[in-house]
mmCIF file of all heavy atoms in Angstrom:
data_model
loop_
_atom_site.group_PDB
_atom_site.id
_atom_site.type_symbol
_atom_site.label_atom_id
_atom_site.label_comp_id
_atom_site.label_asym_id
_atom_site.label_seq_id
_atom_site.Cartn_x
_atom_site.Cartn_y
_atom_site.Cartn_z
ATOM 1 N N GLU A 65 2.203 0.747 -24.204
ATOM 2 C CA GLU A 65 3.544 0.192 -23.986
ATOM 3 C C GLU A 65 4.264 0.892 -22.844
ATOM 4 O O GLU A 65 4.895 0.246 -22.002
ATOM 5 C CB GLU A 65 4.362 0.347 -25.267
ATOM 6 C CG GLU A 65 5.824 -0.061 -25.123
ATOM 7 C CD GLU A 65 6.639 0.311 -26.351
ATOM 8 O OE1 GLU A 65 6.091 0.291 -27.466
ATOM 9 O OE2 GLU A 65 7.844 0.627 -26.178
ATOM 10 N N ARG A 66 4.152 2.232 -22.767
ATOM 11 C CA ARG A 66 4.955 2.994 -21.816
ATOM 12 C C ARG A 66 4.277 3.187 -20.464
ATOM 13 O O ARG A 66 4.919 3.661 -19.519
ATOM 14 C CB ARG A 66 5.283 4.365 -22.409
ATOM 15 C CG ARG A 66 5.996 4.314 -23.751
ATOM 16 C CD ARG A 66 7.435 3.825 -23.620
ATOM 17 N NE ARG A 66 8.073 3.631 -24.922
ATOM 18 C CZ ARG A 66 8.649 4.602 -25.623
ATOM 19 N NH1 ARG A 66 8.662 5.840 -25.157
ATOM 20 N NH2 ARG A 66 9.206 4.322 -26.789
ATOM 21 N N SER A 67 2.997 2.897 -20.357
ATOM 22 C CA SER A 67 2.302 3.152 -19.083
ATOM 23 C C SER A 67 2.909 2.356 -17.940
ATOM 24 O O SER A 67 2.825 2.756 -16.775
ATOM 25 C CB SER A 67 0.806 2.838 -19.203
ATOM 26 O OG SER A 67 0.598 1.474 -19.540
ATOM 27 N N ALA A 68 3.537 1.222 -18.260
ATOM 28 C CA ALA A 68 4.195 0.436 -17.213
ATOM 29 C C ALA A 68 5.401 1.170 -16.637
ATOM 30 O O ALA A 68 5.856 0.852 -15.533
ATOM 31 C CB ALA A 68 4.627 -0.913 -17.771
ATOM 32 N N LEU A 69 5.934 2.159 -17.393
ATOM 33 C CA LEU A 69 7.085 2.924 -16.923
ATOM 34 C C LEU A 69 6.692 4.059 -15.992
ATOM 35 O O LEU A 69 7.555 4.628 -15.322
ATOM 36 C CB LEU A 69 7.852 3.511 -18.121
ATOM 37 C CG LEU A 69 8.348 2.530 -19.177
ATOM 38 C CD1 LEU A 69 8.896 3.291 -20.371
ATOM 39 C CD2 LEU A 69 9.421 1.629 -18.587
ATOM 40 N N VAL A 70 5.415 4.418 -15.972
ATOM 41 C CA VAL A 70 4.953 5.593 -15.229
ATOM 42 C C VAL A 70 3.834 5.161 -14.289
ATOM 43 O O VAL A 70 2.675 5.020 -14.695
ATOM 44 C CB VAL A 70 4.451 6.695 -16.189
ATOM 45 C CG1 VAL A 70 4.125 7.968 -15.411
ATOM 46 C CG2 VAL A 70 5.476 6.976 -17.274
ATOM 47 N N ALA A 71 4.161 4.962 -13.033
ATOM 48 C CA ALA A 71 3.197 4.432 -12.067
ATOM 49 C C ALA A 71 1.922 5.265 -11.957
ATOM 50 O O ALA A 71 0.820 4.706 -11.895
ATOM 51 C CB ALA A 71 3.857 4.290 -10.692
ATOM 52 N N PRO A 72 1.979 6.622 -11.932
ATOM 53 C CA PRO A 72 0.738 7.391 -11.763
ATOM 54 C C PRO A 72 -0.298 7.159 -12.854
ATOM 55 O O PRO A 72 -1.485 7.407 -12.632
ATOM 56 C CB PRO A 72 1.229 8.844 -11.767
ATOM 57 C CG PRO A 72 2.643 8.779 -11.328
ATOM 58 C CD PRO A 72 3.161 7.499 -11.911
ATOM 59 N N LEU A 73 0.123 6.676 -14.027
ATOM 60 C CA LEU A 73 -0.846 6.456 -15.095
ATOM 61 C C LEU A 73 -1.798 5.313 -14.782
ATOM 62 O O LEU A 73 -2.895 5.238 -15.347
ATOM 63 C CB LEU A 73 -0.118 6.156 -16.410
ATOM 64 C CG LEU A 73 0.773 7.269 -16.972
ATOM 65 C CD1 LEU A 73 1.315 6.854 -18.324
ATOM 66 C CD2 LEU A 73 0.020 8.591 -17.084
ATOM 67 N N ARG A 74 -1.392 4.410 -13.898
ATOM 68 C CA ARG A 74 -2.220 3.243 -13.586
ATOM 69 C C ARG A 74 -2.717 3.241 -12.142
ATOM 70 O O ARG A 74 -3.180 2.220 -11.650
ATOM 71 C CB ARG A 74 -1.425 1.959 -13.859
ATOM 72 C CG ARG A 74 -1.153 1.722 -15.338
ATOM 73 C CD ARG A 74 -0.472 0.393 -15.588
ATOM 74 N NE ARG A 74 -0.368 0.098 -17.015
ATOM 75 C CZ ARG A 74 -1.314 -0.523 -17.725
ATOM 76 N NH1 ARG A 74 -2.431 -0.916 -17.130
ATOM 77 N NH2 ARG A 74 -1.143 -0.762 -19.014
ATOM 78 N N GLN A 75 -2.631 4.369 -11.465
ATOM 79 C CA GLN A 75 -3.049 4.429 -10.069
ATOM 80 C C GLN A 75 -4.284 5.302 -9.905
ATOM 81 O O GLN A 75 -4.378 6.377 -10.496
ATOM 82 C CB GLN A 75 -1.918 4.996 -9.203
ATOM 83 C CG GLN A 75 -0.721 4.061 -9.095
ATOM 84 C CD GLN A 75 0.427 4.691 -8.342
ATOM 85 O OE1 GLN A 75 0.581 5.903 -8.332
ATOM 86 N NE2 GLN A 75 1.230 3.853 -7.704
#
Side-chain angles (χ1 to χ4, degrees):
E65 174 189 327
R66 303 289 174 84
S67 60
L69 303 172
V70 186
L73 297 185
R74 291 185 173 272
Q75 292 175 332

